[in-house]
Amino acid sequence: ELPWLHTLYMDSNNNTRDGYEFLIPVAVKYQDTRYTHKSLAHFWSEWYREYFTAEYPRIIVRFEDLLFYGKEVTETLCKCGGGVPREDRPNGSFVHISESAKLGTAAHGKHKTNLLGAIIKYGNFDHRLDNLTPEDFSAARKYLDPEIMETFGYYHPDLPPS
């Protein structure tokens, strides 16, 4: 699993030193080039900033929109691209694939998430912040690009009561 955001500025003993930040770099290989981002939050912001500011046509679809509104999103994208419903589906009906898209060695990690698992994991609004620390909230506010957050409809929640 990916480290929580608070590990962006804590040392290996989970200690902070007078506000000094310990960033854990994220290395990504892009074709033949390897690039190291300062942290996971920097990677997210830089990745989407590239697409956000691109001068070519593009569509960015949020995972949660596919997860919870798959039929509507797919129909909208299909129409946008000039597509038509498949003839092998009754009335162009939508079929949500419930199993993990990646199988075998291509899958990420030991814990693969199918559709139901993703809904349980990402769809519970009441418990989505349970494992986050005050430092996690602080790191998110500091490192996640606010313009991209707003464009995608994301916001920083208030700190839960301690």
Side-chain angles (χ1 to χ4, degrees):
E1 288 191 35
L2 298 172
W4 292 341
L5 289 176
H6 71 273
T7 60
L8 293 170
Y9 49 85
M10 299 180 99
D11 66 15
S12 59
N13 296 318
N14 290 329
N15 298 315
T16 59
R17 292 190 212 142
D18 301 324
Y20 179 77
E21 297 178 335
F22 296 87
L23 297 175
I24 297 174
V26 173
V28 180
K29 184 177 179 183
Y30 299 98
Q31 292 181 344
D32 296 329
T33 305
R34 186 177 177 90
Y35 184 80
T36 301
H37 301 270
K38 289 181 183 179
S39 69
L40 181 60
H42 286 88
F43 171 52
W44 183 88
S45 294
E46 291 162 10
W47 174 269
Y48 284 107
R49 173 63 50 195
E50 288 282 326
Y51 285 105
F52 190 71
T53 59
E55 295 187 15
Y56 51 82
R58 72 260 177 227
I59 296 175
I60 299 173
V61 179
R62 300 179 326 162
F63 172 71
E64 59 271 26
D65 291 331
L66 283 173
L67 184 62
F68 298 112
Y69 309 104
K71 183 178 189 305
E72 295 85 352
V73 169
T74 304
E75 287 174 351
T76 301
L77 291 172
C78 187
K79 289 176 186 173
C80 175
V84 294
R86 288 177 47 176
E87 292 181 18
D88 63 337
R89 302 264 190 243
N91 300 321
S93 63
F94 177 81
V95 177
H96 222 141
I97 305 299
S98 62
E99 294 306 312
S100 177
K102 290 190 175 183
L103 303 174
T105 58
H108 297 287
K110 299 177 197 172
H111 308 288
K112 295 159 187 68
T113 306
N114 63 16
L115 177 63
L116 179 59
I119 290 172
I120 291 168
K121 184 174 183 177
Y122 300 112
N124 188 329
F125 195 79
D126 294 333
H127 297 287
R128 74 190 197 293
L129 308 176
D130 288 354
N131 292 319
L132 300 177
T133 67
E135 294 82 9
D136 292 327
F137 288 93
S138 175
R141 288 185 199 294
K142 185 169 185 177
Y143 295 117
L144 296 175
D145 185 312
E147 184 179 18
I148 295 172
M149 293 275 294
E150 182 178 345
T151 299
F152 292 164
Y154 299 145
Y155 65 93
H156 294 287
D158 295 327
L159 285 168
S162 2

